[in-house]
């Protein structure tokens, strides 16, 4: 594998160095890919030979996959893929020849090899090499992989079921908090669950109005949070410690009033968030007063809603949807927003309220947008268009 005494390998390495030192940088991309794919086929054969000759044992590795992964700087999944291709190509001379000549790509050959490996021994005669090779010549890698899944089910439905159930056991979801308070989500979902999540997010991920400059990735992240917040707001999730799931935000009275120099608010007693974020969460929440003296709780006030249920029904009936510009989010996906911030003493009355989705509610708190009520209309003013006017006295200014 390392090419000891391998003059052909040394010549190949020299040719590669000569190619890399060329003056004319542009080359035919397809031709370059054909050469790389042909070498991938050769490498797959070497991985198979490494396993058969037990070349990994003198180096203290129990498997050839582990040794090749370590020595070649590859992931184990990538090495396992090459091992599968190396094994199957021995029995598929037409596909091996097509890979070497550039008729099909390595990824197409890999899809065919994995299909044949998945079939049980008594079903492999159903794999017609010439027919599958013709599909690989005509179809894209994506289409070929989909065809291989269909072919697997047609040829071996029980094996297809066992593989699907095996894949299902690999599902996982891990959520970890990073040093800056952001959260990292890493997971693998089964085919049906993943499709359901993607469908739900895609239904919400379109742009919300002309001023929505978020990237598609950012919109999908926000949509996932919308789904979570909507589920918690509906109150249908199983209760934890006697109450419905919710975020716990802690701040001081001075922080609630946005006094200068106050510490940040805390989410779940550990995550520091800005006062602006706290004010957004305080717009539509259940508020509880806890009175401390020398860090000892001496009184706990009754929990009250900042927007009462009757007022919420009136708000929903009046607005019918998110009131952000160009937004079509239904009112059931919105939170109540105080035009004059409730945390700053704004009245908790219907004329001071409007319905905003997650995106637009965040714009008017953390995003620096302003909402101005003109008659019965609400106007949204972005930060760069804040209107500056003269007040009663000279030298005084106010922003709408």
């Amino acid at each position: 594998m390392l090419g000891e005494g391998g003059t052909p390998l040394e010549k190949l390495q020299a040719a590669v160095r000569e190619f890399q030192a060329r003056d004319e940088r542009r080359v035919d991309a397809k031709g370059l890919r054909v050469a790389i794919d042909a070498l991938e086929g050769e490498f797959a054969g070497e991985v198979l030979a490494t396993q058969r000759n037990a070349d990994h044992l003198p180096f203290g590795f129990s498997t050839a996959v582990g040794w090749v992964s370590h020595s070649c700087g590859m992931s184990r999944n990538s090495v396992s893929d090459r091992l599968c291709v190396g094994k199957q190509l021995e029995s598929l001379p037409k596909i091996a020849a097509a890979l070497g000549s550039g008729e099909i790509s390595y990824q197409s050959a890999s899809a065919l090899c994995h299909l044949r490996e998945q079939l049980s021994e008594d079903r492999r005669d159903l794999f017609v090499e010439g027919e599958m090779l013709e599909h690989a010549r005509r179809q894209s890698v994506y289409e070929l992989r989909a065809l291989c899944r269909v072919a697997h089910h047609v040829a071996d439905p029980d094996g297809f079921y066992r593989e699907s159930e095996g894949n299902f056991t690999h599902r996982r979801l891990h959520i970890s908090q990073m040093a800056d308070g952001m959260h990292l989500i890493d997971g693998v979902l089964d085919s049906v669950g993943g499709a359901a999540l993607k469908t739900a997010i895609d239904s919400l991920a379109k742009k919300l109005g002309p001023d929505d400059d978020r990237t598609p990735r950012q919109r999908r992240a926000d949509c996932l949070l919308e789904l979570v917040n909507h589920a918690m707001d509906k109150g249908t999730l199983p209760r934890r410690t006697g109450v419905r799931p919710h975020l716990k935000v802690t701040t001081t009275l001075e922080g609630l009033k946005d006094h200068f120099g106050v510490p940040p608010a805390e989410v779940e007693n550990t995550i520091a968030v800005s006062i602006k974020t706290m004010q957004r969460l305080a717009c539509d929440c259940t508020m509880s007063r806890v009175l401390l003296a020398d860090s000892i709780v001496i009184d706990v006030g009754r929990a009250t809603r900042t927007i009462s249920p009757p007022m919420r029904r009136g708000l929903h009936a009046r607005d019918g949807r998110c009131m952000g510009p160009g937004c079509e989010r239904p009112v059931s996906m919105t939170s109540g927003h105080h035009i004059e911030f409730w945390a700053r003493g704004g009245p908790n009355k219907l004329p001071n309220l409007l319905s905003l989705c997650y995106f637009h509610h965040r714009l008017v708190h953390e995003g620096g947008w302003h909402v101005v009520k003109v008659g019965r209309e609400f106007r949204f003013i972005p930060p760069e268009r804040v209107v500056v006017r003269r007040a009663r006295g000279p030298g005084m200014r106010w922003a709408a």
Side-chain angles (χ1 to χ4, degrees), residues 8-313:
L9 177 58
E10 292 175 350
K11 290 181 179 180
L12 174 62
Q13 291 170 334
V16 169
R17 288 192 293 270
E18 181 181 355
F19 175 76
Q20 291 175 319
R22 68 194 183 281
D23 295 327
E24 179 59 42
R25 302 310 303 171
R26 294 301 306 274
V27 297
D28 175 45
K30 182 178 180 181
L32 179 61
R33 187 67 248 177
V34 167
I36 294 173
D37 283 347
L39 291 175
E40 286 280 17
E42 295 290 334
F43 182 78
E46 278 300 315
V47 174
L48 177 62
T50 296
Q51 183 186 63
R52 287 177 173 171
N53 297 334
D55 293 342
H56 53 283
L57 294 179
F59 298 95
F61 285 83
S62 59
T63 65
V65 171
W67 160 234
V68 176
S69 172
H70 173 76
S71 61
C72 297
M74 301 173 62
S75 70
R76 287 176 175 266
N77 286 341
S78 295
V79 178
S80 297
D81 167 67
R82 272 65 175 182
L83 181 60
C84 168
V85 172
K87 288 179 180 178
Q88 297 304 319
L89 286 183
E90 287 188 326
S91 305
L92 302 172
K94 295 179 182 179
I95 294 175
L99 174 61
S101 65
E103 291 184 66
I104 63 173
S105 69
Y106 174 80
Q107 289 184 319
S108 295
S110 174
L112 298 180
C113 289
H114 280 281
L115 170 61
R116 189 174 187 278
E117 184 182 56
Q118 289 164 347
L119 297 176
S120 56
E121 289 290 344
D122 60 335
R123 300 284 179 150
R124 286 187 178 171
D125 59 335
L126 298 177
F127 184 98
V128 181
E129 184 182 8
E131 180 180 338
M132 297 306 297
L133 176 57
E134 192 58 33
H135 284 299
R137 289 188 178 116
R138 297 198 318 265
Q139 298 183 345
S140 68
V141 175
Y142 178 83
E143 294 170 335
L144 183 62
R145 286 172 175 168
L147 174 67
C148 287
R149 287 191 59 79
V150 173
H152 184 195
H153 189 278
V154 171
D156 189 5
D158 291 337
F160 184 92
Y161 166 75
R162 288 191 296 271
E163 183 194 3
S164 298
E165 287 301 293
N167 289 339
F168 184 73
T169 63
H170 297 153
R171 70 195 185 281
R172 58 180 172 79
L173 182 65
H174 182 67
I175 304 176
S176 57
Q177 183 184 344
M178 298 187 291
D180 58 0
M182 299 284 281
H183 283 75
L184 177 66
I185 300 178
D186 174 56
V188 175
L189 302 180
D190 68 281
S191 55
V192 176
L197 178 62
K198 185 177 186 301
T199 299
I201 290 178
D202 286 349
S203 70
L204 299 171
K206 66 179 182 179
K207 287 193 173 185
L208 300 179
D211 297 303
D212 187 351
D213 59 355
R214 296 173 297 170
T215 66
R217 290 183 177 184
Q218 291 171 332
R219 293 201 302 271
R220 288 193 292 269
D222 290 348
C223 290
L224 179 60
L225 297 182
E226 278 192 272
L227 292 173
V228 171
N229 288 330
H230 182 63
M232 291 196 296
D233 291 341
K234 291 286 286 184
T236 56
L237 294 176
R239 290 176 171 261
R240 294 174 54 195
T241 62
V243 297
R244 68 180 188 178
H246 63 282
L247 281 179
K248 179 182 177 182
V249 184
T250 305
T251 187
T252 63
L253 181 61
E254 292 77 13
L256 193 63
K257 294 181 177 181
D258 196 15
H259 287 183
F260 179 77
V262 297
E266 288 187 348
V267 174
E268 299 299 320
N269 294 327
T270 60
I271 306 170
V273 297
S274 72
I275 295 299
K276 292 183 181 295
T277 299
M278 181 275 300
Q279 289 175 340
R280 170 169 58 86
L281 298 174
C283 257
D284 192 355
C285 70
T286 298
M287 185 76 66
S288 297
R289 173 181 55 82
V290 178
L291 188 61
L292 302 177
D294 297 328
S295 300
I296 299 175
V297 177
I298 61 175
D299 185 36
V300 178
R302 182 179 180 181
T304 57
R305 293 289 303 183
T306 54
I307 300 178
S308 66
M311 192 177 300
R312 184 182 305 280
R313 288 193 292 270

Side-chain angles (χ1 to χ4, degrees), residues 362-382:
R362 201 175 190 286
L363 279 186
V364 298
H365 280 277
E366 290 96 331
W369 283 57
H370 294 260
V371 181
V372 178
K373 187 175 182 181
V374 181
R376 294 185 177 182
E377 295 183 355
F378 300 102
R379 296 182 182 176
F380 288 73
I381 304 175

